[in-house]
Amino acid sequence: MDNIKIEFNEVDYIVPAETFSIDYSYLSKQGLPFTKEFIIRALYIAPLSKLELATFFGFNARELSVALEEPINKGEITYLEDGKLSLTALAKGYFATLDAKPMIEKPQTRNSSVTFELVGFNKVPNQHGSWNSALRLDVNHEIQSLSEQHAMKMFKKHFQRLVEAGDLGKINTHDGALPSLYTVDNVTRKKTIAHRVKRKFEIDFDSRVMPFYVDKLYENDEAISNAILQATDNHRLEHNLDEIKLAWDAFQDMSVSRFIKQNAIDFRGMIAEMGSGFTNKPYELLIGPLYGNRALSKVEQILKQLKPTKQQSKPQRMMWIGANTRYWGLSEGFTKTMDSLRSYQSNSKGKGSNYKLTLFLPTDDHSKSKDQIAKEWKQKMPNLESCEGIRNGLFDGNVEVLLLDNEFAAVCYHMAMPDISPIHVPMGYITRDKSLIKRVSDVVEDFLEGSVAHGKPNLIGSFN
């Protein structure tokens, strides 16, 4: 039990990567032409005179001269002082053993497309991914400007590993032997793509966050790890429990507050209660953001049971109030949840709608126009539909809510506790209790109808 690790948040990181077209030559062992092979085989056993060689193969003088011209010119066959023909050290090197087939290494030209990320110049899959819903890592601009030279260096260094992994396609070699790189003739930058690295944040019962490892997925994994650590662990949070306590009071919440101390969280008690089910409480505890797997599975269980409203009736409202934190929504889990919520909007039988989803996205810069705010969010998240802008967010953006009228409410408190975690620790509850749903709905409605100052309503307006 004490070895349990609890996943409490997830953040995706985008590492810019570039795909390069690389022209190169490699050496692979190949067999010799038939006549040449057997001449060399014969001379490998012992030196022979021209007459002995011609007699052995049934050649006349002209045929023998033609057969010997190329290997003599290449320095594979030479004359001894007694006039006999003998193999040079070069040709003797064609034999691995006495009875082996003679093989030569011959340059083969080839072109391959290889993608390297620009932090540690690790080889990564050449796959177009989304730049959205992730924290983008900074790249050294000087290194990026010299990316072709860096790519050439890494290609040379790891050529045989790239071959072994099949990253350069099928390269035919004798007996499966690895080829050796001969030359790299040209490296050309083709395109820039997004390489996504996922980090699951885990914590133990003593409120210790587990270190981040990339599990040797990369040749230069230290560079990737350090870049991610700098993007998160070095970005210090400020305590927000005072704002969270205001939310607890407003929601009359006794679910999460029981487990929170000033510098500690009773995860042991939470897990014990979560393992026992709902028991006699009108809610179920959640750890992680509302787009986490646990919350999504609970929400989907409810949505599958919905009865659609009639076509002529006004559909129910589903409201998702986003948190205004640095890390909220920076995960493919967010995209997955949005897709799921949209898929349940319409009844599968085409008989009316289940609900109308609206996503409320916060901003803490009140001087920006609605269009500026909408543009920034569209750069962060893909396929934004039915979105409204809000100022700050619930309780200064520290609270996330997913609410479907009369059906369920899910509340998540994004707690900043820098002594415990470098990023927010989201936890909350989901309920189908009518009185609790109404309480959450009243708090949300009061916020949406309120304002931060005269002439600055909390609700900015639609982004569509």
Side-chain angles (χ1 to χ4, degrees):
M1 186 77 169
D2 289 340
N3 293 326
I4 286 180
K5 298 176 179 61
I6 306 134
E7 183 181 316
F8 68 90
N9 211 335
E10 56 186 56
V11 177
D12 292 357
Y13 301 84
I14 291 298
V15 186
E18 289 181 348
T19 299
F20 301 88
S21 175
I22 303 178
D23 298 313
Y24 59 98
S25 300
Y26 64 92
L27 295 175
S28 65
K29 290 187 176 182
Q30 295 185 350
L32 302 172
F34 180 81
T35 301
K36 180 179 178 179
E37 175 183 337
F38 281 91
I39 290 175
I40 286 180
R41 278 180 179 269
L43 295 178
Y44 186 62
I45 298 172
L48 298 172
S49 68
K50 278 189 171 182
L51 179 59
E52 290 171 327
L53 203 57
T55 301
F56 181 79
F57 285 101
F59 291 156
N60 59 36
R62 180 179 175 279
E63 290 171 336
L64 180 63
S65 178
V66 171
L68 290 175
E69 182 180 6
E70 191 250 359
I72 289 176
N73 290 339
K74 284 189 172 182
E76 297 166 325
I77 295 176
T78 188
Y79 287 97
L80 300 178
E81 291 182 359
D82 61 3
K84 288 187 175 182
L85 295 164
S86 176
L87 294 186
T88 65
L90 171 64
K92 289 178 181 178
Y94 297 166
F95 294 85
T97 61
L98 180 63
D99 57 349
K101 180 181 176 68
M103 305 292 293
I104 62 170
E105 285 193 320
K106 185 176 180 180
Q108 304 287 322
T109 60
R110 191 178 179 89
N111 173 273
S112 295
S113 290
V114 184
T115 303
F116 294 101
E117 50 81 19
L118 300 182
V119 172
F121 268 87
N122 295 283
K123 164 70 177 67
V124 295
N126 182 16
Q127 298 173 345
H128 280 287
S130 170
W131 292 86
N132 308 112
S133 301
L135 184 63
R136 184 165 176 169
L137 298 181
D138 293 329
V139 174
N140 184 300
H141 294 299
E142 183 178 352
I143 291 177
Q144 189 169 14
S145 66
L146 300 173
S147 62
E148 291 175 344
Q149 289 93 317
H150 286 283
M152 178 182 290
K153 178 182 176 182
M154 297 304 288
F155 184 81
K156 289 180 177 179
K157 183 177 180 180
H158 300 296
F159 173 74
Q160 290 195 331
R161 292 193 183 184
L162 294 172
V163 174
E164 284 185 291
D167 293 325
L168 305 182
K170 187 175 182 180
I171 294 181
N172 295 319
T173 58
H174 177 68
D175 292 337
L178 287 175
S180 57
L181 185 64
Y182 187 56
T183 61
V184 177
D185 303 308
N186 188 49
V187 176
T188 305
R189 184 190 300 115
K190 292 173 60 179
K191 60 185 177 182
T192 302
I193 63 175
H195 175 64
R196 185 175 294 264
V197 182
K198 299 176 178 294
R199 180 177 181 181
K200 301 292 187 182
F201 285 84
E202 296 178 319
I203 199 166
D204 64 15
F205 282 154
D206 295 320
S207 296
R208 294 176 301 195
V209 174
M210 300 297 101
F212 174 64
Y213 301 104
V214 290
D215 298 326
K216 296 295 180 182
L217 294 175
Y218 307 94
E219 197 71 37
N220 183 12
D221 57 355
E222 184 177 358
I224 295 284
S225 295
N226 287 340
I228 289 175
L229 291 175
Q230 289 175 11
T232 49
D233 296 44
N234 294 341
H235 182 86
R236 303 304 296 174
L237 303 178
E238 295 183 3
H239 283 278
N240 68 351
L241 285 189
D242 288 341
E243 290 83 358
I244 296 294
K245 290 175 182 176
L246 294 175
W248 289 339
D249 291 341
F251 290 123
Q252 298 177 1
D253 188 330
M254 291 298 293
S255 63
V256 173
S257 60
R258 296 176 289 122
F259 303 100
I260 309 302
K261 311 301 179 186
Q262 188 61 30
N263 293 308
I265 301 173
D266 181 13
F267 282 105
R268 191 186 304 273
M270 286 194 72
I271 295 298
E273 182 171 314
M274 292 168 72
S276 64
F278 273 95
T279 63
N280 61 343
K281 295 182 173 62
Y283 57 79
E284 185 172 359
L285 294 170
L286 297 173
I287 297 177
L290 297 185
Y291 49 83
N293 288 333
R294 182 175 179 83
L296 177 59
S297 66
K298 298 298 178 184
V299 170
E300 286 182 330
Q301 288 176 15
I302 297 171
L303 299 183
K304 290 175 182 177
Q305 302 171 9
L306 290 179
K307 295 181 179 180
T309 55
K310 297 180 179 180
Q311 290 185 351
Q312 65 270 24
S313 302
K314 185 177 180 180
Q316 298 183 83
R317 294 183 309 166
M318 177 182 283
M319 297 186 289
W320 190 355
I321 316 295
N324 192 13
T325 74
R326 183 174 188 243
Y327 303 102
W328 182 81
L330 298 186
S331 165
E332 283 187 328
F334 173 82
T335 306
K336 175 184 175 183
T337 299
M338 281 297 298
D339 290 343
S340 177
L341 296 180
R342 287 169 178 159
S343 71
Y344 284 105
Q345 281 190 111
S346 298
N347 181 259
S348 59
K349 298 180 180 180
K351 297 180 180 179
S353 299
N354 289 328
Y355 52 81
K356 184 179 187 304
L357 171 65
T358 302
L359 178 63
F360 294 86
L361 297 173
T363 178
D364 52 10
D365 190 337
H366 300 167
S367 64
K368 292 182 179 179
S369 68
K370 182 179 72 172
D371 290 341
Q372 287 176 310
I373 298 168
K375 183 178 179 180
E376 289 180 359
W377 273 110
K378 288 176 181 178
Q379 290 174 344
K380 294 178 183 178
M381 296 179 176
N383 305 322
L384 291 181
E385 303 172 4
S386 302
C387 298
E388 300 274 344
I390 52 176
R391 302 187 199 277
N392 293 347
L394 276 173
F395 302 97
D396 284 335
N398 296 298
V399 179
E400 176 186 12
V401 169
L402 183 61
L403 174 68
L404 179 58
D405 291 338
N406 303 314
E407 294 293 344
F408 77 90
V411 178
C412 183
Y413 308 103
H414 289 255
M415 293 176 289
M417 303 176 72
D419 294 333
I420 293 178
S421 169
I423 72 168
H424 294 79
V425 182
M427 53 180 58
Y429 64 91
I430 184 169
T431 182
R432 300 201 71 180
D433 180 86
K434 299 298 184 183
S435 61
L436 290 180
I437 294 172
K438 186 177 186 308
R439 184 62 190 168
V440 173
S441 179
D442 289 344
V443 172
V444 169
E445 290 294 345
D446 287 345
F447 168 77
L448 295 178
E449 293 172 2
S451 61
V452 295
H454 179 70
K456 291 185 177 181
N458 290 333
L459 190 58
I460 297 172
S462 173
F463 285 168
N464 296 338

